Amino acid sequence: QVQVVESGGGLVQAGGSLRLSCTASGFRLPDYGMAWFRQAPGKEREGVSCISWRGTTYYADSVKGRFTTSRDNAKNTLYLQMNSLKPEDTARYYCAAAPLYYCSGSWSSADFRYWGQGTQVTVSI
């Protein structure tokens, strides 16, 4: 059974850092493209970062230079390192997976079949 579970969210002051984790089970991370999405109250879900099954990464303009996505194939875990956090980063963050997915400059939530329950990130002023 394919499953992804996010963790690592919390409350942080503006300028601080958090690292989110997404632990995968039922499949091998290198065989899947993985993405982080986020959704704030009253807003549409937006893509944050995407890592292709071959390892290339892409980021939303709003997080470039501040967020880094990586994966540990041995631990079958995806990460999102978030630095210089801003109040506008406050959202529920979701991990998503799609087999052999190749990320390009834009990636859609409709492309991803498997989703976690999300983890809340709140950035205070």
Side-chain angles (χ1 to χ4, degrees):
Q1 181 180 358
V2 173
Q3 190 174 14
V4 293
V5 179
E6 305 93 337
S7 61
L11 174 64
V12 64
Q13 286 189 328
S17 298
L18 279 176
R19 189 178 77 160
L20 305 184
S21 299
C22 171
T23 302
S25 59
F27 67 98
R28 291 177 63 250
L29 215 57
D31 295 335
Y32 277 61
M34 304 291 294
W36 288 98
F37 291 84
R38 66 186 181 186
Q39 188 165 20
K43 294 188 177 181
E44 293 187 356
R45 186 170 295 185
E46 64 171 341
V48 175
S49 70
C50 190
I51 181 167
S52 299
W53 69 281
R54 289 188 173 183
T56 52
T57 55
Y58 296 85
Y59 298 92
D61 288 342
S62 59
V63 306
K64 276 180 184 176
R66 300 188 298 122
F67 290 12
T68 303
T69 193
S70 62
R71 66 187 186 196
D72 185 329
N73 293 336
K75 294 183 178 180
N76 224 35
T77 299
L78 176 75
Y79 300 101
L80 182 67
Q81 177 66 45
M82 305 185 296
N83 298 329
S84 302
L85 282 161
K86 304 175 181 179
E88 51 263 45
D89 294 318
T90 295
R92 191 162 187 85
Y93 284 70
Y94 297 88
C95 172
L100 296 176
Y101 186 78
Y102 182 77
C103 306
S104 60
S106 62
W107 57 99
S108 169
S109 59
D111 295 336
F112 292 84
R113 179 176 179 183
Y114 303 102
W115 290 81
Q117 293 300 308
T119 185
Q120 179 67 34
V121 172
T122 303
V123 184
S124 64
I125 298 173

